Amino acid sequence: MDLSGYLATQPADPRPLPAFPIHHRPGDDREFVREQLDLLLPGTLRLSPGLDHPYLAPGAIYNSLWTWDAYFIGMAVPDDHLDHVLGSLVNLLERVTPEGRAPSLIEPSGQASYEHMGQPIHAQWALGLVRRLQGRVDWLRPLWGKLVATRDWHRRECGSRHGLFTWTDLSGSGIDNDPAIYGRRGSTVGLVDMNCFHYRELLAMSTLSDLLGEPGAARYRQQATTLRAAINSYMWDDRSQCYRHIDLSTRHRPTHQTVTWEVQLHGGTWGCLFPLWTGVANAGQADRLISEHVLRPDRYLSGYGIRSMSAEEPMYNNEPMADPSNWQGPVWGLSTFLTCYGLARYGYRIDAIRIAGRLIDLMGADLRANGVLHEYYHADTGAPLFNPGFLSWNLLARRILDDLETAADPTELQ
């Protein structure tokens, strides 16, 4: 996947954003943040006798290879550390079970955990690496069967009606305490974010099939088309102008009326914004989602980034906690930076730059005050809430700053 370009080339959106309470001039700490991230980045680069290949870890209390952390860290890691990006993926693929189930994490000892389902991101990860390696696919050929096996596993274990996918666990897909899934049987819930990941995965499988000369490209492409149509048809709520997770439980009860509808699960979580970053939304849906939800301070837009849950939801809170981590309100690097790339994709480049800048400014303030970054921040006060020393996808700030070097006016980050 190529993240670069959007922030530099999309047409500007002229509408101003609301003021926000950063108590220093925006932009003061941008170079400081870049310098500090470059100094901190080696803390994510790991070697262990228990793993055959170098890997990426989130930092702070986390030493393991986590699937989606390593994927997003890898997007910000420069090419001189590409061996750790590649090694992370190879470590994970080598531990795919014969049935095709991928681990969610690997401990430094080499012990893989299958307690939770690994996010479906391996093919898109591989495609990104092929592009960064100038088209080299020799490393991927012996692993192609693993990618095919993971797709087959997801189709068998998670496939549902309309071509949509469920989630298998009682906890979130990485967005730990999303109320649509937390405490519910995972096999009954179709999550917007996970279905968007599957869409990207199917497109990546199609492209990789062509590059490797393997069969299946047309089939994967058709499955992606079907999935995108289903997300936009069944998960889009035209009344609220937003995407919703849906109930995909099996219908066992006898009825006199044929059930021809799907029941949406309301609750505005950041996962419902994934169709922006992944390009699933059509232009009209994107405009409505952005104007009615993303750019509204009473919903997702915070003075410090993008809230992980809309502030209008009754369960909205900023409590510091772990296991589950709190995605019911606080600002996270991942929720902010991916949403900003989604905004830029649909032409809201100035909004994207300025919102990303809010969190980058806050990160600078955190680094100056505490010498570290934190895992997430209070959406209404900017206070660091949890886990000092956390890096992970916060490193995407480095990618944003790199992309902005190609912008005509660097001060637009304000």
Side-chain angles (χ1 to χ4, degrees), residues 15 36 83 137 143 150 156 190 198 250 260 283 375:
R15 293 170 298 172
Q36 291 300 304
D83 58 332
V137 295
L143 297 167
T150 61
R156 291 193 313 269
H198 279 292
T250 305
T260 59
E375 191 163 356

Side-chain angles (χ1 to χ4, degrees), residues 338-398:
L338 289 194
T339 301
C340 286
Y341 277 113
L343 288 170
R345 174 190 285 274
Y346 288 94
Y348 294 78
R349 182 175 65 93
I350 297 300
D351 293 312
I353 289 169
R354 294 178 65 190
I355 294 169
R358 295 180 175 191
L359 182 53
I360 292 171
D361 282 334
L362 181 60
M363 291 168 64
D366 192 13
L367 287 164
R368 288 197 182 277
N370 303 300
V372 295
L373 295 175
H374 286 73
E375 191 163 356
Y376 51 87
Y377 298 87
H378 197 294
D380 302 320
T381 69
L385 290 179
F386 189 76
N387 205 4
F390 182 79
L391 289 174
S392 192
W393 44 68
N394 286 338
L395 288 168
L396 286 173
R398 185 183 182 280

Side-chain angles (χ1 to χ4, degrees), residues 48-304:
S48 173
L51 286 87
D52 291 336
H53 312 283
Y55 69 100
L56 299 166
I61 61 175
Y62 304 115
N63 296 306
S64 303
L65 166 57
W66 293 80
T67 303
W68 78 329
D69 289 80
Y71 174 53
F72 288 114
I73 294 170
M75 291 182 182
V77 169
D79 286 349
D80 50 353
H81 298 301
L82 204 56
D83 58 332
H84 286 74
V85 185
L86 177 61
S88 296
L89 176 60
V90 174
N91 282 323
L92 290 163
L93 287 177
E94 287 180 346
R95 287 166 176 77
V96 169
T97 68
E99 296 77 25
R101 179 155 186 165
S104 56
L105 68 94
I106 306 173
E107 302 289 357
S109 65
Q111 180 68 39
S113 173
Y114 302 88
E115 180 181 0
H116 301 293
M117 188 170 77
Q119 290 88 354
I121 57 178
H122 303 83
Q124 53 203 284
W125 191 343
L127 180 56
L129 279 163
V130 168
R131 288 170 175 165
R132 292 180 72 176
L133 291 167
Q134 287 76 51
R136 272 187 50 213
V137 295
D138 54 297
W139 63 273
L140 184 57
R141 291 190 185 280
L143 297 167
W144 176 246
K146 298 287 191 177
L147 290 177
V148 172
T150 61
R151 283 316 310 163
D152 290 343
W153 186 89
H154 282 291
R155 176 182 51 80
R156 291 193 313 269
E157 301 297 327
C158 307
S160 187
R161 51 188 176 270
H162 314 305
L164 293 165
F165 291 86
T166 61
W167 181 249
T168 63
D169 300 321
L170 293 173
S171 60
S173 56
I175 306 174
D176 295 11
N177 59 352
D178 187 325
I181 188 70
Y182 194 76
R184 294 170 57 91
R185 289 182 58 196
S187 59
T188 70
V189 179
L191 295 169
V192 175
D193 48 309
M194 279 302 104
N195 277 276
C196 287
F197 270 137
H198 279 292
Y199 170 72
R200 284 170 50 85
E201 195 75 348
L202 288 164
L203 289 180
M205 288 293 289
S206 177
T207 301
L208 290 172
S209 296
D210 282 335
L211 290 173
L212 292 168
E214 295 286 349
R219 172 168 50 88
Y220 290 128
R221 195 175 303 114
Q222 181 56 53
Q223 290 173 0
T225 299
T226 299
L227 177 55
R228 183 186 182 195
I231 294 170
N232 285 330
S233 176
Y234 296 102
M235 292 180 156
W236 174 257
D237 179 14
D238 209 49
R239 295 170 303 172
S240 63
Q241 308 290 285
C242 190
Y243 289 90
R244 303 293 188 189
H245 308 307
I246 65 173
D247 186 342
L248 287 174
S249 55
T250 305
R251 296 159 176 160
H252 292 299
R253 293 179 298 171
T255 58
H256 295 285
Q257 179 184 2
T258 301
V259 178
T260 59
W261 57 86
E262 297 295 349
V263 177
Q264 294 180 334
L265 302 172
H266 283 243
T269 63
W270 164 66
C272 296
L273 305 183
F274 258 63
L276 298 176
W277 171 59
T278 57
V280 166
N282 63 44
Q285 289 167 325
D287 283 339
R288 284 174 281 171
L289 179 61
I290 291 167
S291 61
E292 292 297 318
H293 295 274
V294 178
L295 296 183
R296 285 185 52 168
D298 59 336
R299 294 185 176 170
Y300 284 100
L301 182 61
S302 158
Y304 305 97

Side-chain angles (χ1 to χ4, degrees), residues 3-27:
L3 281 174
S4 62
Y6 288 130
L7 293 178
T9 62
Q10 291 295 322
D13 185 275
R15 293 170 298 172
L17 291 173
F20 59 100
I22 294 285
H23 301 300
H24 61 284
R25 190 172 74 254

